Amino acid sequence: MKASGAEAARRLAAERGAARPGFLLYGPDAMLVSLARQAVVAALLGPDGEAEMRLDRLAAQDLRREPGALGDAMRARGFFAGDRVVLLEGAGDPVAEPVLAALAAHAPGDATLVVAAGQLAAKSPLRRGFESHPKAAAIALYPDPPAPAEIAGRLAAAGLAGASPDARDRLLALGAELDAGAFEQFLRSLALYCHGQTDPVALEDVEAVAPGGGEGDLDDLLDAVAEGEAAAIGPRLKRLAARGTAPVTLAIAASRHFRALHAAASSPDSAEAALARQRPPVFGPRRARLAAQARRLGQPGAEKALVLLTDTDLALRSSRPLPGMALVERALIRIAMLAGR
């Protein structure tokens, strides 16, 4: 049979009654294949499988030297009771013949075969062999954003009680922004952060561990500017400069912030709706705060802010020796004075 997606791989591996002799996991993203392979092996063996030596690993090059090694490994018997898995990594069509031979010879009591491969064409012998097998599964893994059901399943597997609507939307946005490895690491961090929590994951929990969360000082600075707090700009700029933030980086971040406020202030429906349409969208209390900033500054004020920031950015990129941080500070104070009127 054939299927697609990491969630399908987990679900099929967890179907204990199906007694599938083998799984082929393939796709262009090596990290995505690796994560799916880990999930399938964990579902087949449980948490102690590798410690109990019920997992055997083989590399594809081993089969080129000894084609019968895979069948021998699948028929071997371990010291511990329980299911066994033979994992073949780095597979491809050059080893299709010994792999499919071992799959065809699978008998009750043999280890389950898990094959991890790269991208395989539709006419690939290895892929077609697994797809046409009556019980084995060929699972395609492509770098698509995780679906809501997949994220919900991952949260449940981590022992978390679901997520609030805002947190769920933010998780979906992060799934679209991050690659598979980074999103997996983020979910692990979220599970640790919320360990023991009985309430659903809140937006604040997600933001606390989301990548880029360390940019809070920069957000605080831009909020102070947009809310007319000119006196707070100097100390926050010094803190960012001490951390090595470059003036050009500050100018780019400020331009992005005020472009968002300009779009919100110019929206024909509402500032909140415009912020929700952004990519990535803005959620929860953060959206309410930015909407208030957009209304406070208005469309003309946001346009003046963007003109100031564009002039500053051009000056910073010129060949003239200019005090970059002083130029940024002057522009931000002038924008704060606009917002404070």
Side-chain angles (χ1 to χ4, degrees), residues 75-207:
R75 289 188 294 271
R77 296 295 181 264
F79 292 106
F80 295 88
D83 296 331
R84 293 179 56 252
V85 167
V86 174
L87 172 62
L88 179 67
E89 298 184 275
D93 287 329
V95 295
E97 185 175 344
V99 170
L100 296 178
L103 183 66
H106 185 277
D110 288 354
T112 302
L113 173 62
V114 177
V115 179
Q119 179 72 305
L120 297 174
K123 295 183 178 180
S124 156
L126 184 61
R127 176 175 165 182
R128 292 177 71 179
F130 272 81
E131 289 177 348
S132 61
H133 193 282
K135 289 188 176 180
I139 301 168
L141 298 155
Y142 297 107
D144 298 321
E150 181 179 349
I151 291 178
R154 305 274 284 280
L155 293 178
L160 301 177
S164 70
D166 282 344
R168 185 172 60 246
D169 290 345
R170 181 64 173 133
L171 287 169
L172 287 169
L174 284 169
E177 293 171 32
L178 304 175
D179 61 37
F183 190 61
E184 177 70 16
Q185 184 58 49
F186 159 71
L187 287 179
R188 291 177 183 174
S189 300
L190 181 63
L192 287 172
Y193 183 81
C194 298
H195 179 69
Q197 181 175 305
T198 56
D199 295 331
V201 174
L203 178 63
E204 291 76 12
D205 300 327
V206 176
E207 295 295 359

Side-chain angles (χ1 to χ4, degrees), residues 21 41 92 111 115 122 126 131 139 165 216 239 243 250 256 267 274 306 312:
V41 170
V115 179
L126 184 61
E131 289 177 348
I139 301 168
R239 188 158 57 245
R243 289 169 48 189
L250 290 171
R256 185 167 57 244
S267 175
L306 287 172
T312 302

Side-chain angles (χ1 to χ4, degrees), residues 272-297:
E272 287 83 358
L275 292 165
R277 287 193 296 269
Q278 282 191 23
R279 292 293 175 269
V282 184
F283 300 105
R286 182 65 181 160
R287 182 167 63 191
R289 186 170 189 178
L290 291 183
Q293 292 174 8
R295 285 190 286 268
R296 179 189 189 116
L297 202 57

